[in-house]
Amino acid sequence: SSNEVDLATSSVADFICLENAHDQFNSSLERRKEQMARMEAEQEKENQGPRSIAEIRRAKSQLSSTSDDNDEYVHGKQAICHPTSRAFLCSPQELNIICSWKTVGEHANDIIEGQHHLRQLAVRPQRKSKSSPLLIGAKYDPCVNHDFSTGPLHLDMVLSIRNRLVHAAVDFEFSLQSRQDITFVGPESFRKCIDGGEEVVFPMEAIIFESGMYNLQSVKL
């Protein structure tokens, strides 16, 4: 039943959040141990004898940079969250998504179900991203009725390219792959730099010569 599916999905989501919190807590703990080890090493040097001004400044600089990194990771630069608190179970900058799917097998009575677990997807990274920092979107009519005896179909499209990074610009090159079944009218290639959070929007036209189902994904970045 749908209630059983929802309960199973909720249990998996809870486990993923706990697993994510465990990984983040271990990372915070390891950084704290490294920081304490540096402080103990500096204390031992102080007990051995006087240090030069350059050594003192270097030690303070290392401790300060380590503390800033920990504050950004644990506090998120917005709200203070302890690594073991409920607020830290799921990172505000990452998503753990469960995609449940169902399809019909070879026979009508055969129902196949499954799940895909997508972990640690960055929502709005600040300056770096493991995946592509650019999001490509397209607006067009997904279903069109057209009489091809009168000529090809001219489908209007609007493409958008958005920088997911908040505080970092991205320099990219846009180009369209050549295809035999579809002709695109619009910018074929260009190079541009967009700041963090900005979006580029431009029109495009797809010319289709016969009926069918088409995948309009032809963009290369």
Side-chain angles (χ1 to χ4, degrees):
S1 64
S2 60
N3 291 334
E4 293 177 350
V5 173
D6 293 341
L7 181 60
T9 302
S10 177
S11 299
V12 174
D14 292 343
F15 176 79
I16 291 178
C17 284
L18 288 172
E19 186 181 26
N20 185 47
H22 177 264
D23 294 340
Q24 293 182 355
F25 174 77
N26 284 340
S27 299
S28 298
L29 182 61
E30 291 298 325
R31 283 196 296 271
R32 180 60 178 173
K33 289 180 179 179
E34 292 176 359
Q35 183 182 10
M36 296 300 296
R38 291 194 190 98
M39 294 175 64
E40 291 178 0
E42 294 298 329
Q43 188 66 33
E44 290 180 0
K45 289 183 180 180
E46 290 181 357
N47 296 335
Q48 292 176 357
R51 296 183 300 170
S52 65
I53 296 177
E55 289 177 341
I56 296 175
R57 290 178 176 174
R58 191 181 307 114
K60 288 184 178 180
S61 175
Q62 291 176 352
L63 291 177
S64 176
S65 61
T66 303
S67 177
D68 290 342
D69 291 341
N70 288 338
D71 289 342
E72 182 176 0
Y73 186 83
V74 177
H75 300 168
K77 294 297 185 183
Q78 294 179 354
I80 297 177
C81 295
H82 193 272
T84 60
S85 66
R86 290 185 178 181
F88 206 68
L89 280 177
C90 291
S91 170
Q93 297 180 1
E94 293 181 346
L95 285 180
N96 299 308
I97 299 177
I98 300 173
C99 298
S100 300
W101 54 269
K102 180 187 297 185
T103 186
V104 179
E106 295 182 358
H107 304 285
N109 296 329
D110 295 338
I111 303 299
I112 304 174
E113 299 181 4
Q115 286 185 348
H116 290 297
H117 299 169
L118 308 175
R119 299 183 66 244
Q120 296 180 340
L121 300 178
V123 180
R124 289 298 305 275
Q126 300 295 310
R127 299 182 184 277
K128 296 181 180 180
S129 176
K130 297 179 182 178
S131 58
S132 173
L134 299 176
L135 287 179
I136 303 176
K139 294 181 180 180
Y140 56 90
D141 193 344
C143 184
V144 180
N145 294 322
H146 179 74
D147 183 4
F148 284 93
S149 63
T150 62
L153 168 65
H154 293 258
L155 180 64
D156 293 330
M157 304 173 59
V158 176
L159 298 185
S160 63
I161 303 175
R162 184 167 65 88
N163 182 3
R164 295 191 304 121
L165 302 181
V166 179
H167 299 299
V170 175
D171 187 9
F172 68 94
E173 184 175 352
F174 171 90
S175 63
L176 284 174
Q177 294 178 334
S178 59
R179 298 176 55 168
Q180 296 181 352
D181 55 344
I182 301 177
T183 299
F184 290 100
V185 179
E188 296 182 356
S189 64
F190 61 85
R191 190 177 184 90
K192 191 173 182 62
C193 180
I194 54 178
D195 294 331
E198 288 191 351
E199 184 178 43
V200 177
V201 180
F202 52 94
M204 184 77 65
E205 185 182 55
I207 302 178
I208 302 174
F209 300 93
E210 59 184 10
S211 62
M213 297 181 63
Y214 294 89
N215 181 6
L216 301 179
Q217 174 59 273
S218 301
V219 176
K220 293 176 61 178
L221 292 178

